Amino acid sequence: MKNFLTNQSAADLEKWCAVSGYPKFRAKQIRQWITGKFVSDPDRMLNLPNALREALKAEFFAPSMKIAEVDSAPDQVAKLLLQLHDNEHIEMAVIPAGDGRITFCLSTQVGCPVGCRFCASGKHGLKRNLTAGEILEEFLLGCQYIGRKCDNIVFMGIGEGLLNCNELFPALEELTSESGFNLSPRRITVSTSGYVPGMKKLAELEKEFVLAVSLHAPDEETRAKIIPDPLRFPIDDILQAADNYRERSGRLVTLEYTLLAGINDSDTHAEKLGRLAYKHHAKVNLIPYNATDTEFRRPSRERIESFERKTAASGATVTRRVERGSSKNAACGQLRINAGKK
Ligand code: SF4
């Protein structure tokens, strides 16, 4: 398979230019287009000779994906459906905050093997991993869409990123390195369903990425109703891995908790969750369920507020995800599934 232009380092490109008969400075120009102007299409690299543009297109996936559809909610959250070189689809979201900052929510896999029961993305399993080049190109397309580099990235789109460490970690390196996109690791959140081996590997990087762990339940019995075997790890192991991450990265871990009516939203659940979060110095982020066509329902406003109060009563820091984006495709993975039906 061809390589992806977006994750060729300066050294890789210099080597390729030398072998292909182009001077070294061309490698620098190509990198400037990618990292400075977010362009991965050689046809748009206007200071390159035509023959070099053609050679790049023949050698690499460049570009390897395109925006197939944009779904914009009234509050300006935009979901981008991206078509990959093999005709698969992924999604990313562009999320503006009131203060002008923009967050990208990026995918790491095509489909997802975890299969959380409330999630549209996991419904049909894993198709394949994204490569580091594709993860970076997703970011580039987002930058092209907003006309600048984003302020924050959350890897909370389609896929369990820590099952794809071999591709995600080089992409993180390129996003944060000075010679790459120079984003602070503190502005990048890696989300996991609690895949313990991947949490350990991320901790070994000893970087200040934010780690968000989707706990969704404070006890095994409830969690088994939400996350199926075999990729569901014991809660004790997950919290131990979260402690290890906090110690090695110096960052507090966030426990993500999707609130599902009648499943995990009782006061008892809230009290247990609060105690666990307090004990493990973790923050809690509550996410009232955004209904898709599953058996799950969103709790009432009163239940959500009561749950929040009970969890916070333990002393833990509790936030609630801001409600934004209510279009028909607002739920994660919905656009991609609809694309498959077309
Ligand atoms: S919620 Fe995340 S981990 Fe779970 S199935 Fe969906 S994409 Fe995968």
Side-chain angles (χ1 to χ4, degrees):
M1 194 169 81
K2 286 202 250 184
N3 282 322
F4 293 79
L5 184 59
T6 38
N7 68 328
Q8 299 302 303
S9 67
D12 293 337
L13 285 172
E14 276 177 19
K15 211 159 118 193
W16 180 81
C17 281
V19 171
S20 312
Y22 292 98
K24 203 172 163 183
F25 76 90
R26 294 294 184 195
K28 199 171 172 195
Q29 287 179 318
I30 298 165
R31 283 288 293 174
Q32 280 168 347
W33 278 106
I34 297 170
T35 58
K37 297 194 172 76
F38 316 117
V39 167
S40 62
D41 182 352
D43 283 338
R44 294 178 56 202
M45 299 181 179
L46 300 177
N47 56 356
L48 302 187
N50 273 342
L52 174 52
R53 293 187 210 172
E54 293 306 319
L56 285 171
K57 285 192 289 181
E59 179 76 19
F60 301 105
F61 285 118
S64 75
M65 63 178 76
K66 64 178 183 188
I67 298 176
E69 193 180 322
V70 176
D71 184 61
S72 264
D75 59 2
Q76 304 304 308
V77 172
K79 298 203 93 182
L80 275 50
L81 179 70
L82 308 179
Q83 187 181 344
L84 311 184
H85 64 88
D86 56 359
N87 216 21
E88 295 291 352
H89 290 83
I90 54 167
E91 287 179 28
M92 67 169 289
V94 175
I95 308 163
D99 58 4
R101 282 185 292 183
I102 294 183
T103 298
F104 289 168
C105 176
L106 301 182
S107 296
T108 52
Q109 295 182 309
V110 182
C112 182
V114 181
C116 302
R117 294 195 170 92
F118 60 79
C119 172
S121 303
K123 248 183 178 175
H124 304 290
L126 176 71
K127 282 275 179 75
R128 67 173 176 85
N129 284 325
L130 291 182
T131 66
E134 287 175 305
I135 294 169
L136 291 168
E137 195 148 346
E138 219 183 323
F139 165 75
L140 286 189
L141 281 179
C143 295
Q144 287 173 26
Y145 182 78
I146 64 170
R148 68 170 177 88
K149 189 162 73 174
C150 63
D151 303 284
N152 302 292
I153 295 176
V154 293
F155 283 97
M156 291 185 175
I158 298 169
E160 164 56 68
L162 293 184
L163 274 167
N164 188 18
C165 292
N166 289 346
E167 300 297 329
L168 176 61
F169 288 5
L172 289 173
E173 175 62 30
E174 181 69 1
L175 287 167
T176 52
S177 75
E178 268 183 44
S179 61
F181 296 98
N182 206 15
L183 280 162
S184 164
R186 301 177 71 90
R187 295 192 168 274
I188 299 179
T189 299
V190 176
S191 164
T192 177
S193 59
Y195 181 63
V196 169
M199 291 170 71
K200 288 181 183 165
K201 282 189 196 162
L202 189 71
E204 282 163 16
L205 299 181
E206 299 199 332
K207 294 263 179 77
E208 292 186 296
F209 297 114
V210 181
L211 177 62
V213 182
S214 294
L215 199 66
H216 301 323
D219 61 82
E220 299 296 348
E221 196 188 336
T222 308
R223 204 159 185 268
K225 293 179 189 163
I226 302 169
I227 303 180
D229 288 331
L231 287 171
R232 188 183 70 254
F233 282 73
I235 292 172
D236 282 351
D237 293 3
I238 293 171
L239 293 174
Q240 208 181 324
D243 286 346
N244 173 51
Y245 186 81
R246 189 188 71 245
E247 282 154 20
R248 298 195 62 175
S249 68
R251 303 297 313 265
L252 292 183
V253 171
T254 302
L255 301 178
E256 303 282 343
Y257 197 100
T258 299
L259 279 166
L260 305 163
I263 304 287
N264 64 356
D265 64 339
S266 71
D267 285 349
T268 312
H269 289 122
E271 283 158 9
K272 275 193 204 167
L273 174 66
R275 279 199 297 276
L276 286 180
Y278 186 73
K279 181 174 165 199
H280 292 273
H281 310 284
K283 297 181 278 188
V284 174
N285 187 33
L286 300 176
I287 309 161
Y289 182 57
N290 212 349
T292 59
D293 50 353
T294 68
E295 74 265 33
F296 296 109
R297 292 289 163 262
R298 180 193 183 91
S300 66
R301 189 160 53 86
E302 294 72 30
R303 185 89 295 275
I304 293 168
E305 283 168 1
S306 166
F307 192 95
E308 186 172 351
R309 274 196 307 276
K310 288 272 178 205
T311 309
S314 64
T317 303
V318 183
T319 54
R320 198 190 317 169
R321 182 177 285 182
V322 181
E323 308 284 324
R324 336 180 53 210
S326 54
S327 82
K328 64 187 185 303
N329 290 317
C332 164
Q334 203 64 46
L335 261 188
R336 173 174 167 264
I337 283 179
N338 290 344
K341 287 180 188 159
K342 282 176 190 166

